[in-house]
Structure formats: C-alpha cells, structure tokens
Amino acid sequence: MNFKLSTLLSAVAIFAFTANSYAQETPAYSYTEAFKPLFYPQTGTETRSASGQPGHKYWQNSADYQLNVSLDETKNEITGSAEITYTNNSPDQLGFLWLQLDQNLFAKDSRGNAVVPLSGSRNGAHGEEFDGGYKVKSVKYDGKDVKYTITDTRMQIDLPKDLKANGGIAKLKIEYSFLSPKYGSDRMGIEDTKNGKIFTMAQWYPRMCVYDDVLGWNTSPYLGASEFYLEYGTLSANITVPANQYVVASGELLNEKEVYSKEEINRWNQARSSEKTVAIRPESELGKNNATGTKTWKFKIENARDFAWASSAAFILDAARINLPSGKKSLAISAYPVESAGEKAWGRSTEYTKASIEHYSGKWFEYPYPAATNVAGNEGGMEYPGIVFCHMSSKGESLWGVTDHEFGHTWFPMIVGSNERLFAWMDEGFNTFINEGSTAAFNNGEYYHKQNIGKMGSFVLNDSYEQIMVGPDNMKERSIGVLAYFKPGLGLGILRETILGPEKFDKAFKTYVARWAFKHPTPWDFFHTMENVSGEELNWFWRGWFINKWKVDQAVKSVKPFNGDYKNGAQITVENLGQLPMPTTVELTFKDGTKQVVKLPVEVWKRNTEWTFKVNSTKEVTDVKLDPASGVPDVNPKNNVWTSAQAAPVEKVNMKEFAGTFSTKEVPLKLTFTEKGGQLYGQATGQPEFALEYLGQNKFAFEDADVSITFSKDKKSIDFTQGGKAFKFNKE
C-alpha cells in the first residue's frame, strides 16, 4: 500500500534541515546491552532452521478458490459464491476453521469503526452511511449446511469431524453479498467518471485465515491499518458485469474471444510482442460499446495469495510486453479513464509498469504472473497479485512512484508471504527499500533524488515514534508512514551501504527471497538468513533499529598531533554516545587540501564507548568529519565535525627525553621506556611491551591496563598509577 510516500519524503527533507528543533536527550551507550548474546527467542526447529531457511519438516496449508461473482452497477452490490478447497498440511487435526470476512470492517458496529478517532482516518469508509458488511446466505461443508459463528471480521466454522492432518481436504461453499463502499479504507472502492463508474474490488470474498507453526490460527481482526496474511493456492474467478464494461483482474484472462472484439484481440496480440505501449481500447472508442445485458469474464491465477479485479465502461486500455530473465514473457496492462489520460499522466503507466517489473525480476526474483495490470481508481495505492490500484489523479513522478511501489509489493508480500497483519515493515519497509534502487535505475534516474541520510537522524529516530516491531494496529496512525515504510526501508539501505556492503547484502537478501518465495517467513527467519549468508553478527542492529528505538550519535572527541607533532601522525578519538553503534567512517582533511578516509568496524564499540587511533601521516590536519558520505542518520550532526579552530595549542615533545629504566623499593618491578619512530613504549619486567598515549603535561596513559604515568619535570622520576594504586619510580 502507498502511504503518500512523496509527501512523507518531503516531510523528511523539511525535518532534516530543522533538526535542531528536535534535539533530544540520548541515553548513554552500553556496549554490553548493544552486543549481548542470546538475541534469538528460540533455536532452530524442524520447521524453521536456525540458519534462516525453512526447516526439513516445514509445512504450510493451502487454499484454492473458485469464485463466482456478479456486479449490480446501480446498487453497488456484489453477489457471489466462494468454493474453497482447503488442504491441511499441518501435523495437527483441525476441529474448526477460521476465515476472514474483511468487508465487515464497513459494518456500523465493527471494531475498525470503533477505533476511528474524531479527527478522522484514512481507514474505514470516510463516514459514508450505508449497510456495510457481508450478508452471508449459506455456508456448506462437503455440500451440507454447517455451524458457523461470525465475530467482527472473522468467521469460525465448526467441523462435523476433525479435518485430518498431513493432507486432509475440506471443501467449503459460501454464498454471500455486500454493498461496496465508495471509499473502502483506501484499498478498494467506486469512482465516478464522465464515462461511468470505476469499480475496484478487493477483500471481496471470504478468505481462509493462515494456520501456521508459529501461532496456529492467525485471527487478528481487520481494523483497517494492518493488512493481510493469506494462504497460497490457485484462484479462478467468473466475474459477471454489465456488457458495456471491461474487466481487468489478477492472473490470465481465459475467455478473451467471448469478451473482446476481433480488432481488440488483434491489438492484444500486437501488444504481447511490443516493447512500446499499444492501445487496446483507445480514447476514441469510449462510448461506442452500447451492449446491453451482461458479460462474464473468466480469470485464473496460480500460486497466489489473493485475487482482485476492476470493472468499468470508462476504461482506456493499453499494454506492452514484459521481458523476464528466463526468456518468458508477461504483459504490462493499464486501465484508466479519460480524465487520467495523457503522456504526462497515465499515458506512461504501461511504460512504468514494464520497467518496474523488469527491474525487480532481474535484481531479486522473476515475476511469476502472466500479466501486471495498473488500474486508475480512487485509492492512494494498493497492491494485489498481478494487479494494483493507483490514484487516477497521479501523474509524472508521483505516478511512477506509486506504480513502482505497488508493483514492488509483488515481491513483498505476494511472493515472500510475510504476516502483514503483525509485521507491516516486512512488506512496506522491504518494498520501500527496493523502490530506491528501481527509481535510480528507471530511465537513467529520471525521477531519482539521492537522500541525505545523515541529516535525517532527529526525524527518523525521534522519541515520539513507537518501535517498528509493534505493528500498525499498535502505533499512532501518523507514525505508520515512518515506522512501516520509511525507517525500515532506510535501515535496509544502511545495512547494505554502510554495514555489509552491496555485494554481501545483495547475496543475502536475494537468498532470503528465494528461500521464502511463496512461504511464510517471520522476522527471525529474515534476521537469521541475513546473518548466516553474510557471515556477520547483526543482533546489535536488529535490536537497536527494529526492536528498540535506539539513537545513533557518534562524535569526534579530540584531534591532536601524535606525540606533539603532526610529523609523527595524527591521533583521533571518536565517541559512540548513542545507544546504537555503527561502523565509523572518519575523513581527515590536511592543510594541503588532500584527504584521507579511515574506516572503523563496528567491533571497536564492542567493549568501548570511545576509541583512539593513529593516522600515519606527516601533514597537519585541519578538519575531521564523521560519515562524510552522509549514509547514517545521526541525531546530532554538529558533533560529527572537528576543525583546527577547536585545537588546543600544540605541545612540542621529544620522546627520547623520556627514555630510560625506572625502579622502586616498593615493588620488585622495573619499568623501561624506549622511543621508536616518535612513539614512547613501556615495558615492565617480564611483560610484553606496550604503546603509551601522550596526554600532555608529561603525562602518558595505557588505557587497556588502566595505567597512567606522569614524569617529573626533570624526567628523573615518575608517578605510576594503576587501578587507583599509586607508586613512585626513580630513574636508574
């Protein structure tokens, strides 16, 4: 679904440049909390491997549908029957079945209506008064009436005897009707145009709830914000509409000779071999089909989890060929009214659809369906297998963005069938992430705008948001755009570009898609896969970015010449102030204008809150900057920069003056100091040599052993302190 992404990104840009107004107190960094082990709630099972792939006994149930439906254009009424063949592949016998009745969201007494605030919501029917919800005429099991109970948006069917495990089959037939809302929670509806109504039909038939190895029956009610979790199968539909209307739907049209003219069929055949958009029903032919009565359109889609359709007398239709990596072909189709026509608007819809599908097929996984249809309706944007609904007023960049986003959902969650009802970020966030690459690739970046991620910290990591993992029904509606879409998508971009690198990330992400194609992964399956394939420990990132709302705040603490002279190199100290660590990229600029970049792995933060390192150079440092590519959202960018104006006066030191051997009567120990290449080293009797950091004023430190050493002015004695104990040594 589209959460008005262009508006959201504009907001991000605004907030990015007003970050100071969102200054927040950041809790202190705890490396033991960030990197603590035992992140995963359970070890591998027979159904889900600890490696992130389906286990050797993974199972999932299936649901095949034969759907028969009629549209009453005058009443806006849908009347239909759903014949469902449900296969229980689980190891459990089932005494009852659960189904989703999502149209019941629009009943006046629904839970979804109850949670709409006075200020309004994008969910529900926008205050439309009508007799919404399913009218169930009959429910039969194996041809006989069966007991059922409807609770809000769920139906429970009690079986006369348990459905057998490991392959038991149940056959259901449900007869029903409902009145369609004009605005159906931004997912379906009816739009009036000058040439007739556009019906975009979704959540229009009873659908099986998922029974899985994680929760058993997944029966969370449909409240409007959260989306869907569905079983896979083969779906066939016979759709009867007024004869002057044209129907587009999920899957393949089976009876084109019965519904299209010979000329229209010729145009379809031309489109199937055309790289350019071919008009099937051009604007000039609108209003010429005055047929009366009804027509039945027959469609079928395999290995899918849902079915949607649209019908209108107002449709302009065009299409072009989609080229897939295997050599197979699919078909990009657009259906839109004359109000949406034009080369700056929906006239490019098929071009956008084709480009989007071809990009994702080559990058992640091949598109599995015979057609990809973009329909202009009154939805902001909504996705279904093989068909999407986008707003009829979209044009140019906004039409590309919503088209690409909705077809990106083919991969998440249509192919990788995660539980959207609980984990919206696993479809919306993943999709937002892949949209970035697709937009960069389309037409040489025609609509691409590179994000300045570094300036987004105070916006995306703001305390006012909930955690990503709480799910859309458990967060403020105003938070959903950030927490389901933008922040998880941004997180994957950071994981790719800053943490793993593109090669390792792409291999792991592509493996995740292949492993869980047409299956039901959990967040833990994703986390396991990314770690196992990349070979990297990432629990600190999952813990901070997805489960908690930790902040990133790294800083340059100090910059000084090594041992008092830049000819010996530069000594840089950086800090991790925020709760979430990150790999640290440090860019130094020298007085002659040249630059040097140092990359510190995230492991430097596994036992430290600050880190000091030496840069080998003989040139004076004038500037130091963290994250020069602006790839990490830091809540306080100001402390990422150091300039020479902040430098303390340089103390010229000759390290050779500190060399010598020192002893004391208090302990049987000698300390020997030597100079090598401008660096002072210490060595205790019988111990390995250690490098000393010069702190100024004749004082040195060896932090790993909690040692500080202060030389007297004449360099003939030292005060040696370790762990709070002090000793005085004299030069021999």
Side-chain angles (χ1 to χ4, degrees):
M1 188 174 190
N2 183 357
F3 208 90
K4 297 185 179 178
L5 291 178
S6 59
T7 303
L8 173 64
L9 293 178
S10 297
V12 170
I14 293 169
F15 278 112
F17 291 104
T18 58
N20 290 341
S21 64
Y22 279 81
Q24 303 156 66
E25 184 177 346
T26 302
Y29 174 58
S30 168
Y31 49 80
T32 55
E33 180 68 17
F35 288 95
K36 66 184 180 184
L38 304 177
F39 169 73
Y40 290 100
Q42 64 180 41
T43 56
T45 67
E46 291 184 327
T47 55
R48 295 175 191 270
S49 168
S51 68
Q53 60 189 314
H56 66 281
K57 288 189 177 181
Y58 177 82
W59 57 265
Q60 70 186 48
N61 295 346
S62 66
D64 301 324
Y65 297 82
Q66 175 59 58
L67 305 169
N68 297 287
V69 62
S70 296
L71 168 65
D72 186 321
E73 181 181 24
T74 303
K75 296 181 180 179
N76 297 338
E77 185 176 35
I78 294 291
T79 302
S81 66
E83 297 178 40
I84 307 171
T85 301
Y86 180 71
T87 304
N88 176 26
N89 294 313
S90 82
D92 306 324
Q93 295 188 102
L94 302 177
F96 50 83
L97 306 177
W98 279 102
L99 288 84
Q100 302 181 49
L101 301 181
D102 297 305
Q103 281 297 319
N104 285 356
L105 173 70
F106 306 111
K108 292 180 182 179
D109 61 350
S110 74
R111 297 183 189 182
N113 271 334
V115 299
V116 173
L118 291 176
S119 57
S121 170
R122 75 181 304 194
N123 302 306
H126 275 199
E128 180 187 356
E129 292 289 334
F130 70 110
D131 187 16
Y134 280 109
K135 305 295 185 288
V136 177
K137 180 180 178 182
S138 67
V139 179
K140 296 184 183 295
Y141 177 78
D142 288 342
K144 297 179 180 179
D145 290 336
V146 66
K147 180 183 176 183
Y148 65 92
T149 304
I150 295 176
T151 306
D152 197 52
T153 58
R154 289 78 46 85
M155 171 192 283
Q156 185 182 48
I157 298 176
D158 293 319
L159 303 182
K161 62 179 180 179
D162 286 353
L163 180 60
K164 292 181 179 179
N166 302 312
I169 295 176
K171 291 186 178 293
L172 300 170
K173 182 175 182 180
I174 303 171
E175 296 179 300
Y176 63 91
S177 66
F178 66 87
L179 297 179
S180 175
K182 291 183 179 179
Y183 177 89
S185 207
D186 207 15
R187 305 186 193 281
M188 59 168 296
I190 305 168
E191 179 69 17
D192 290 312
T193 75
K194 66 172 65 175
N195 292 305
K197 299 176 181 177
I198 296 176
F199 293 86
T200 43
M201 292 293 107
Q203 292 81 59
W204 59 279
Y205 60 95
R207 302 180 297 179
M208 295 300 305
C209 292
V210 172
Y211 185 82
D212 63 22
D213 61 311
V214 180
L215 293 174
W217 284 110
N218 286 260
T219 58
S220 297
Y222 177 42
L223 301 177
S226 62
E227 293 183 310
F228 311 107
Y229 187 33
L230 302 163
E231 296 288 17
Y232 289 91
T234 297
L235 299 96
S236 300
N238 298 326
I239 303 168
T240 301
V241 300
N244 68 332
Q245 293 190 10
Y246 287 75
V247 176
V248 288
S250 297
E252 181 180 8
L253 178 64
L254 303 178
N255 64 331
E256 65 176 14
K257 292 182 180 180
E258 297 174 11
V259 293
Y260 284 115
S261 68
K262 289 184 179 179
E263 180 59 30
E264 288 168 338
I265 292 173
N266 289 337
R267 293 167 182 166
W268 279 117
N269 291 334
Q270 182 185 348
R272 289 187 177 96
S273 59
S274 175
E275 290 291 313
K276 300 294 184 180
T277 300
V278 175
I280 310 300
R281 188 189 184 214
E283 181 180 338
S284 60
E285 296 182 7
L286 293 180
K288 292 184 178 180
N289 180 357
N290 296 313
T292 58
T294 62
K295 276 185 181 179
T296 298
W297 300 64
K298 299 179 180 180
F299 293 86
K300 180 180 180 180
I301 189 168
E302 297 178 339
N303 215 10
R305 42 171 268 164
D306 203 0
F307 190 104
W309 56 279
S311 183
S312 181
F315 280 154
I316 296 170
L317 296 169
D318 59 44
R321 181 182 70 195
I322 296 172
N323 303 301
L324 301 176
S326 67
K328 293 181 180 179
K329 310 298 178 187
S330 185
L331 194 63
I333 302 168
S334 295
Y336 52 94
V338 67
E339 291 91 334
S340 304
E343 280 306 301
K344 293 184 178 180
W346 278 75
R348 294 187 71 184
S349 166
T350 291
E351 175 195 352
Y352 296 159
T353 300
K354 171 182 166 65
S356 181
I357 298 293
E358 288 179 349
H359 172 82
Y360 297 129
S361 294
K363 183 68 176 177
W364 304 118
F365 191 92
E366 186 165 290
Y367 184 75
Y369 302 122
T373 303
N374 196 10
V375 181
N378 63 5
E379 300 79 11
M382 189 60 202
E383 69 280 358
Y384 302 97
I387 189 170
V388 303
F389 305 153
C390 298
H391 203 279
M392 60 181 289
S393 67
S394 296
K395 60 181 62 177
E397 183 175 353
S398 68
L399 181 58
W400 159 259
V402 67
T403 299
D404 184 53
H405 181 81
E406 302 316 330
F407 280 117
H409 275 303
T410 301
W411 284 263
F412 310 101
M414 304 305 162
I415 292 174
V416 181
S418 57
N419 187 343
E420 299 177 89
R421 192 62 57 86
L422 299 183
F423 307 113
W425 64 272
M426 293 186 73
D427 69 290
E428 298 295 358
F430 286 18
N431 188 24
T432 300
F433 163 71
I434 65 173
N435 297 159
E436 179 82 0
S438 178
T439 301
F442 174 67
N443 200 22
N444 298 313
E446 179 179 355
Y447 299 128
Y448 183 64
H449 308 286
K450 185 173 178 59
Q451 301 177 76
N452 189 333
I453 297 171
K455 291 186 176 181
M456 295 177 181
S458 292
F459 169 66
V460 77
L461 303 177
N462 195 278
D463 282 331
S464 65
Y465 296 123
E466 302 86 354
Q467 300 92 328
I468 288 174
M469 285 283 276
V470 302
D473 288 334
N474 195 203
M475 61 180 64
K476 295 290 186 184
E477 189 171 335
R478 63 177 179 267
S479 300
I480 293 174
V482 172
L483 298 179
Y485 296 70
F486 189 72
K487 186 178 179 181
L490 187 70
L492 292 186
I494 294 167
L495 186 61
R496 183 180 193 265
E497 303 300 331
T498 300
I499 299 172
L500 293 180
E503 184 177 355
K504 290 171 73 172
F505 177 93
D506 288 357
K507 180 179 180 181
F509 198 64
K510 196 169 183 177
T511 299
Y512 168 71
V513 176
R515 283 177 171 181
W516 292 98
F518 311 108
K519 297 182 177 69
H520 296 315
T522 68
W524 313 110
D525 299 316
F526 171 66
F527 296 157
H528 276 303
T529 295
M530 295 303 292
E531 291 190 9
N532 273 257
V533 179
S534 71
E536 299 292 342
E537 174 193 15
L538 298 171
N539 60 29
W540 56 273
F541 181 65
W542 313 132
R543 184 179 283 125
W545 195 266
F546 292 95
I547 294 175
N548 296 295
K549 46 182 183 178
W550 290 353
K551 296 180 178 66
V552 179
D553 184 10
Q554 296 188 344
V556 183
K557 184 176 183 180
S558 66
V559 179
K560 54 187 177 182
F562 194 76
N563 289 333
D565 195 333
Y566 277 121
K567 291 182 179 180
N568 299 324
Q571 181 174 304
I572 316 293
T573 300
V574 292
E575 298 178 285
N576 197 86
L577 302 173
Q579 301 141 292
L580 180 57
M582 281 284 170
T584 306
T585 302
V586 186
E587 180 187 73
L588 291 82
T589 301
F590 299 102
K591 194 171 184 178
D592 63 3
T594 59
K595 297 179 184 292
Q596 183 175 343
V597 173
V598 177
K599 293 190 175 183
L600 304 174
V602 75
E603 281 78 9
V604 302
W605 306 118
K606 291 196 79 168
R607 59 164 71 98
N608 305 289
T609 58
E610 63 179 55
W611 183 252
T612 300
F613 61 97
K614 179 186 177 185
V615 176
N616 292 320
S617 175
T618 60
K619 297 180 286 188
E620 182 179 343
V621 177
T622 58
D623 297 272
V624 174
K625 183 178 183 180
L626 303 185
D627 188 29
S630 196
V632 177
D634 193 299
V635 297
N636 184 11
K638 286 185 175 181
N639 61 18
N640 289 12
V641 178
W642 175 93
T643 66
S644 55
Q646 302 168 236
V650 175
E651 180 184 350
K652 297 290 185 180
V653 180
N654 182 359
M655 290 296 159
K656 291 181 180 179
E657 295 178 358
F658 298 95
T661 300
F662 294 73
S663 60
T664 178
K665 295 180 180 180
E666 296 180 66
V667 291
L669 186 73
K670 291 187 177 183
L671 295 173
T672 300
F673 301 97
T674 56
E675 180 272 341
K676 300 177 185 178
Q679 168 82 55
L680 189 68
Y681 292 84
Q683 186 172 23
T685 305
Q687 301 296 320
E689 192 175 66
F690 52 90
L692 288 163
E693 177 188 357
Y694 185 60
L695 304 178
Q697 302 295 317
N698 291 343
K699 186 175 182 179
F700 293 80
F702 178 45
E703 285 192 1
D704 287 356
D706 192 22
V707 167
S708 69
I709 299 169
T710 303
F711 285 78
S712 62
K713 287 184 179 181
D714 60 8
K715 314 293 193 298
K716 292 184 178 180
S717 66
I718 62 172
D719 291 324
F720 179 94
T721 304
Q722 182 178 32
K725 295 182 178 180
F727 303 91
K728 194 172 191 69
F729 284 72
N730 296 303
K731 192 172 185 178
E732 292 184 350

